[in-house]
Structures are given as C-alpha cells and as structure tokens.
Amino acid sequence: MDKIIIRDLKIFAYHGVNPEEKRDGQNFIFDIDLSVNMTKACFSDDIIDTVSYAKVVKTVKRVATEKKYDLLERLAQVEADAILEEYPDVFSVDITLKKPEAPIKADFGWVGVQISRER
C-alpha cells in the first residue's frame, strides 16, 4: 500500500491532565502516515485522484485546537477518527503524537503515544 507521510507537524494546543497545561498550552508534534492507493494519481498527475496532505494538515490542526483533552491517547484517537471520516480514500492511519514540553522533571526529548487505526 502507498503512503502519504506528514512529519514533525507542530501544533500549539491545550491538552494535559494538569490545569496549567490547559491554561498555558504547549507544543504537540504529529507524525502521520496515511495508507492510500495512489495508482490513479501516479498516472493522472491530478490532485483529485489522491488525498491532499494540505487538507489533512488542516483537519489535524482543527481537531487539535477545537477541544481540550486530558490524555494524548484520546487526542490521537479523535485525530484518527476525523481523518478516516473525512478522507474515504484513506485505508489506515498511523499517528505518533509527541509532547516535547511535558511537565516531567527529567531530561528527555519527548514523550508520546502511537496509534494505528484502519477502516
């Protein structure tokens, strides 16, 4: 299966279990892989025959900023649901959701979750 890949999509949002996370916000980083049959687009060279990654980015930004969630697990699930609902040509979606500024007293690059969902 072909893939559309989005890497290091940074979105400022207000998720977390701590009140200050919902008040002050922080950056979240998304890596997204979409399984899509791109055969038609490979020959037609027409955007109508594929899934627009620009539109997917808009969907992810909208979902990440329209509500506040305690858990990254929930945000990742809502994102996957939205992608599968809005883009019928996507067979499956893999999302890695990173939280590089998590309020943890340790030296780390990021913490996060990874989910895979399919139709």
Side-chain angles (χ1 to χ4, degrees), residues 13-32:
Y14 299 85
H15 308 290
V17 296
N18 299 313
E20 63 273 11
E21 292 178 286
K22 287 195 175 69
R23 182 190 67 230
D24 301 336
Q26 62 193 295
N27 289 306
F28 296 85
I29 311 294
F30 291 82
D31 290 340
I32 302 167

Side-chain angles (χ1 to χ4, degrees), residues 65-85:
T65 57
E66 68 187 358
K67 290 180 81 174
K68 298 177 182 181
Y69 298 102
D70 287 345
L71 300 179
L72 292 181
E73 292 85 344
R74 179 64 183 150
L75 176 57
Q77 180 65 52
V78 173
E79 292 284 5
D81 289 344
I83 290 168
L84 291 172
E85 181 179 319

